[in-house]
Amino acid sequence: MIIVNWFSDFPDYSYPVMFNYKSKSGHTMYGMYYRPHNYQQGVKYPTVLFVYGGPHVQLVTNSFKGLK
């Protein structure tokens, strides 16, 4: 099996960072964020918050869903 890393064609591509936290009700919630391609630690960047799926749907999971 040959695996092609097509990300190598995009040297500025930043992989998403997965995170999770436990809610007050005890459920584990998952999320992800992307850092800017020129990210520097300690520098403040604007944030875009996108809430998706509604209040009862968890679309970000800690699993691989394949390349789209």
Side-chain angles (χ1 to χ4, degrees), residues 31-47:
M32 68 179 174
Y33 61 90
Y34 290 86
R35 290 186 172 136
H37 67 88
N38 58 350
Y39 176 76
Q40 295 178 8
Q41 181 132 6
V43 176
K44 291 185 178 184
Y45 294 94
T47 302

Side-chain angles (χ1 to χ4, degrees), residues 7 13-19 31-36 60-61 63:
F7 294 112
Y13 179 77
S14 176
Y15 289 92
V17 178
M18 301 288 291
F19 68 94
M32 68 179 174
Y33 61 90
Y34 290 86
R35 290 186 172 136
V60 176
T61 57
S63 63

Side-chain angles (χ1 to χ4, degrees), residues 21-29:
Y21 68 95
K22 195 165 288 266
S23 69
K24 291 179 183 178
S25 62
H27 297 285
T28 300
M29 304 299 292

